[in-house]
Structure formats: structure tokens, C-alpha cells
């Protein structure tokens, strides 16, 4: 990643300029997806390798997961990091790590761990009843906003946070932020509608200290998803998986952990692009092996090259996709489906190709699957900074470029 460099910044009254970047406090930072969006908020729209001019800088990032923060530190060399349970880290310590005082951060951003509100785990009684202890991390986010008094905040989470099961917690979050004067606005956004080649839905909650209402950015892309078959022909079509992978090298060594083998290896290889285990039920043309709707949708799921990917899973089981639409041959000559490679996962998250994550392919997928897609986060942060008066309003480019 490039080093930060100071630049003049237009502030809201357009009369004062300063020679330093605007500081941002990042909570629950993970591998840094939302942080990347912050630092590239003034970059050219929908160009994944444009680092921007440095309007914002992540001054401090916090997380309990040391490997994720190591990834963030690798890609954000000038960001101070704090590893630890945020329930035990005072706001003063977070601010002091960045050399900041209350009211000095322009933004607080972050996504409290989504496990309590995700569909993955609804079979656990405490999660069905919204009693997961990690849910209290929402209150910690409110605490840091209350103590640091940023000009605005951006909170991101899984769509499940808005479901009836968790509605009491969500309402408490909104009420607490509203009592601080931030007038929080929320909306569920589909990543594919903002140029990300992935059908990933996330809820964003945004508020301004001055109480002005935040307006969410209009989608730039359109296409049919699992819920919406209406297409807005005035917008750019969704970016497909094949478009995202188009210029990636295909002749790369095949690693053992890429091959989908074992009990369901042969069945997985026979599933056509865009289909899943349902192909092997009595209603489709595959083998009559599974009962109808007896598994999760992602079981044996293959990518459709002509559509965006489904959500990249953070902790998939051995038979959970999406897998690539092309088969590979094993050393014994058998055809097998293959898992996604690191470069392909980066593309599906609209991350730059030079983003570095150490560890195995599984560890990389865990970090990326928990991250905010760059272009989705960038659209929200750019809209916020424009409405705050730090950026000029302009039309986004209508072409997604991976380079």
C-alpha cells in the first residue's frame, strides 16, 4: 500500500484548509475492508486499484483477532493497532493510541462481530432468542461514539440484525445512537448494486453529529438477485464472476486444498454452474441422492459465470460453496470441482490484487468472508463525506475495472 501524504482538505465551510488527513477510528476492524473503503473514499469510483488522494486516514484500528489485525497492519503501515476485547479497552486508550482527543475523529467506523445475528447459528437456542453475549458489542460501539464524539459514524453488520428475532437489540442500538444526537439512518444494501461481483446483503447504520439526515447512495448497477427479478435498464448490469476473473492467470499450480474431494467429491463435480445439491434430487437431472431442501442452499453450490457470486462464506464446511464453475483433474485423472483461489476471492470482494493476507487459503477466506466489500463500503463513505461537505458531488464511473 502507498504511504500517506498530507494534502489540503476542503472543510465544510470552505474557508479553512489544513495540511493533515482527517483521522478515523476503526472498531472491530478485522482484515480492514471498511478501513480500505475509508482510505479510498475519494478514489475514482469502481476502480479497485485507485488508492485515492488520502482525504481520510485510519488513525487507529482495534480488534480481538490478532491474525486479522496483522493483515490490517501489513496493508496499513501507518495505522496504530490495538488487539484486545473492546469491553476491556477504554475509549481514552483507543484515542490516545492515535494521538487524538474527544471530538477530533471525523468518523468512527466498524462492524461488530456478526455471529449473533447471522443465519449461520440459528439452530442454537441462545442465538434464536438473541441471547448471544457478543451482542453486547453493539453497546460498546455506542460507548465509543458517545465518548469520542466523531463528526459521523458508519456501522455495518449482517442483514440478520434487522430481523424480528433481533429487533429489540437493533431498536436499542438505534435509540441509543439517537439519544446522542446522531439521527441514525439505516438501510440494507446489496453489494452487487454498487459494482461488487457478489450478491452480499449488509445493513449499514449511519449518523451525523449535527443531526442532519444521511441519504444513502443510489445503486449504480442492477440485475436480478435471489429476491428481485426487476432490472433497472438505466443502470450498469451487475458485474459477473467471469468478468471479475477475466484477466487472472489460469495456468497456476493446483494445490490439494483447492480440490473438492471425498464423500461428495464426484457429486460436486457433476453439479452444473449456478446449481447446488438440488441438482441431485428427484426434481433435477442429476442423481437422486438428496431429499428436496434437506441442506443449506450453499451445499455443493457452483458459481454461475454469468452472474455475481453468492456470498463468500467466512467459515464454510468442506462441501459448502460457492465453488468455481470449472472442474479440474486430479493426479489420478478424476474430474473434481475446485475451491476459489485467493486472487479470485479478492476479486469477489472488489479488493485490490495487491492486498496481502498471510496464512492458508482457509485462513484467507475466513478473513475476507468477514470483511466489507471495498466498493460497497466506499460508496457509503463517499456519500457521507460528500454530504458532510468534504467531497464534491460527482457521477460515478459506469465501468468496473479490475487491475
Amino acid at each position: 500500500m502507498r504511504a500517506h501524504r498530507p494534502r489540503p482538505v476542503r472543510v465544510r465551510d470552505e474557508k479553512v484548509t489544513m495540511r493533515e488527513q482527517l483521522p478515523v477510528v476503526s472498531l472491530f476492524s478485522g482484515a480492514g475492508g471498511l478501513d480500505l473503503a475509508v482510505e479510498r473514499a475519494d478514489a475514482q469510483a469502481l476502480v479497485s486499484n485507485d488508492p485515492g488522494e488520502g482525504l481520510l486516514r485510519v488513525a487507529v484500528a482495534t480488534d480481538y483477532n490478532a491474525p486479522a489485525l496483522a493483515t490490517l497492519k501489513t496493508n496499513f503501515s501507518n495505522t496504530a493497532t490495538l488487539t484486545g476485547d473492546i469491553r476491556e479497552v477504554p475509549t481514552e486508550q483507543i484515542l490516545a493510541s492515535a494521538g487524538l482527543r474527544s471530538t477530533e475523529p471525523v468518523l468512527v467506523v466498524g462492524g461488530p462481530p456478526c455471529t449473533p445475528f447471522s443465519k449461520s447459528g440459528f439452530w442454537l437456542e441462545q442465538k434464536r432468542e438473541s441471547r448471544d453475549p457478543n451482542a453486547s458489542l453493539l453497546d460498546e460501539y455506542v460507548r465509543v461514539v458517545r465518548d469520542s464524539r466523531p463528526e459521523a459514524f458508519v456501522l455495518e453488520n449482517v442483514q440478520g440484525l434487522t430481523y424480528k428475532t433481533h429487533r429489540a437489540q437493533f431498536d436499542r442500538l438505534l435509540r441509543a445512537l439517537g439519544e446522542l444526537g446522531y439521527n441514525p439512518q439505516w438501510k440494507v444494501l446489496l453489494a452487487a448494486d454498487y459494482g461488487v461481483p457478489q450478491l452480499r446483503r449488509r445493513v449499514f447504520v449511519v449518523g451525523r453529529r449535527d443531526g442532519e439526515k444521511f441519504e444513502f447512495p443510489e445503486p449504480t448497477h442492477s440485475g436480478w438477485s435471489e429476491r428481485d427479478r426487476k432490472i433497472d435498464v438505466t443502470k450498469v448490469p451487475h458485474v459477473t464472476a467471469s468478468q471479475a476473473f477475466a484477466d487472472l492467470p489460469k495456468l497456476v499450480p493446483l494445490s490439494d486444498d483447492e480440490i473438492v474431494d471425498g464423500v461428495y467429491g464426484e457429486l460436486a463435480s457433476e453439479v452444473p454452474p449456478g446449481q447446488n445439491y438440488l441438482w441431485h434430487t428427484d426434481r433435477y437431472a442429476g442423481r437422486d441422492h438428496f431429499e428436496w431442501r434437506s441442506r443449506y442452499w450453499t451445499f455443493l453450490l457452483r458459481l454461475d459465470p454469468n452472474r455475481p457470486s453468492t456470498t463468500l462464506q467466512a467459515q464454510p464446511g468442506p462441501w459448502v460453496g460457492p465453488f468455481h464453475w470449472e472442474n479440474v483433474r486430479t493426479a489420478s485423472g478424476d474430474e473434481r470441482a475446485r475451491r476459489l483461489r485467493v486472487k479470485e476471492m479478492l476479486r469477489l470482494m472488489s479488493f485490490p490484487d495487491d492486498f496481502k493476507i498471510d496464512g492458508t487459503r482457509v485462513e484467507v477466506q475466513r478473513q475476507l468472508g468477514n470483511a466489507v466489500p471495498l466498493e460497497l463500503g466506499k460508496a457509503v463513505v463517499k456519500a457521507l463525506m460528500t454530504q458532510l461537505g468534504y467531497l464534491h458531488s460527482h457521477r460515478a464511473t459506469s465501468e468496473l475495472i479490475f487491475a
Side-chain angles (χ1 to χ4, degrees):
M1 308 291 287
R2 64 173 179 82
H4 298 297
R5 65 179 187 276
R7 68 183 287 269
V9 177
R10 182 183 302 275
V11 296
R12 293 178 63 188
D13 62 7
E14 299 190 3
K15 295 178 181 179
V16 182
T17 59
M18 54 187 175
R19 297 293 300 180
E20 59 184 25
Q21 296 166 304
L22 301 173
V24 176
V25 170
S26 172
L27 308 176
F28 315 102
S29 308
L34 194 51
D35 305 65
L36 197 63
V38 162
E39 296 212 345
R40 299 186 178 212
D42 59 346
Q44 185 177 354
L46 304 177
V47 180
S48 67
N49 67 335
D50 184 354
E53 293 298 318
L55 170 66
L56 298 168
R57 67 180 177 88
V58 178
V60 58
T62 70
D63 204 284
Y64 74 97
N65 185 270
L69 269 189
T71 294
L72 188 142
K73 191 65 178 176
T74 298
N75 294 279
F76 300 81
S77 59
N78 294 323
T79 296
T81 57
L82 278 176
T83 306
D85 187 337
I86 195 171
R87 290 168 290 195
E88 301 174 359
V89 181
T91 306
E92 293 77 8
Q93 182 181 352
I94 297 173
L95 293 175
S97 298
L100 298 172
R101 293 175 297 182
S102 182
T103 73
E104 290 186 340
V106 68
L107 299 180
V108 165
V109 303
C114 61
T115 305
F117 317 113
S118 173
K119 288 182 180 179
S120 304
F122 263 37
W123 63 86
L124 297 176
E125 183 179 355
Q126 67 174 5
K127 289 182 180 178
R128 286 200 307 269
E129 297 180 2
S130 200
R131 291 190 285 112
D132 193 299
N134 287 336
S136 66
L137 295 177
L138 293 173
D139 300 322
E140 299 302 322
Y141 187 99
V142 174
R143 182 256 300 176
V144 175
V145 171
R146 182 189 66 233
D147 295 345
S148 61
R149 299 296 296 169
E151 191 167 343
F153 70 81
V154 177
L155 184 150
E156 176 269 349
N157 216 293
V158 294
Q159 183 180 7
L161 177 58
T162 67
Y163 293 167
K164 182 179 179 180
T165 308
H166 306 296
R167 191 68 203 200
Q169 290 179 340
F170 190 46
D171 287 344
R172 188 178 77 243
L173 169 71
L174 297 176
R175 183 168 59 253
L177 292 168
E179 289 172 352
L180 297 177
Y182 279 85
N183 188 18
Q185 305 296 313
W186 68 273
K187 190 172 185 178
V188 174
L189 303 179
L190 177 64
D193 287 347
Y194 297 88
V196 179
Q198 188 178 166
L199 296 169
R200 186 186 190 98
R201 295 182 188 273
R202 288 296 184 269
V203 62
F204 284 82
V205 183
V206 183
R208 296 172 50 164
R209 189 175 62 202
D210 60 11
E212 292 292 324
K213 182 180 178 181
F214 172 71
E215 299 289 344
F216 282 91
E218 285 294 318
T220 54
H221 293 60
S222 181
W224 63 273
S225 68
E226 73 283 5
R227 303 177 190 178
D228 190 358
R229 297 306 172 96
K230 296 179 181 179
I231 298 177
D232 186 343
V233 296
T234 68
K235 301 187 187 315
V236 182
H238 281 166
V239 180
T240 68
S242 61
Q243 288 174 326
F245 298 167
D247 62 342
L248 289 176
K250 294 185 178 181
L251 298 177
V252 296
L254 186 66
S255 61
D256 291 340
D257 68 349
E258 290 180 13
I259 300 173
V260 183
D261 210 345
V263 177
Y264 299 113
E266 191 171 356
L267 290 174
S269 69
E270 296 172 358
V271 174
Q275 299 286 346
N276 61 3
Y277 79 97
L278 293 175
W279 181 255
H280 292 301
T281 65
D282 59 4
R283 302 194 188 191
Y284 282 88
R287 308 185 194 186
D288 185 5
H289 187 89
F290 300 105
E291 294 295 325
W292 182 255
R293 292 185 176 175
S294 60
R295 305 288 178 120
Y296 281 108
W297 174 258
T298 50
F299 192 76
L300 305 188
L301 179 64
R302 306 292 296 271
L303 285 178
D304 183 338
N306 299 314
R307 298 191 61 221
S309 169
T310 54
T311 299
L312 186 67
Q313 303 290 310
Q315 295 177 317
W319 318 114
V320 173
F323 304 130
H324 200 280
W325 60 86
E326 293 179 348
N327 283 337
V328 294
R329 288 198 177 275
T330 65
S332 60
D334 296 324
E335 278 202 3
R336 290 292 182 265
R338 74 163 173 86
R339 306 180 202 282
L340 297 174
R341 295 172 176 142
V342 173
K343 290 289 187 183
E344 292 167 340
M345 289 188 281
L346 286 171
R347 292 289 180 90
L348 294 183
M349 294 297 292
S350 64
F351 273 41
D353 288 341
D354 63 354
F355 194 84
K356 297 178 177 61
I357 305 180
D358 293 330
T360 65
R361 189 198 60 78
V362 172
E363 291 167 340
V364 171
Q365 181 164 348
R366 177 181 57 77
Q367 292 191 35
L368 287 177
N370 283 324
V372 178
L374 169 58
E375 294 301 336
L376 175 60
K378 204 166 77 177
V380 174
V381 177
K382 177 175 289 189
L384 177 58
M385 296 309 292
T386 299
Q387 292 170 42
L388 289 174
Y390 291 108
L391 287 174
H392 292 297
S393 179
H394 61 278
R395 300 179 71 85
T397 57
S398 59
E399 183 178 359
L400 181 63
I401 301 175
F402 289 98

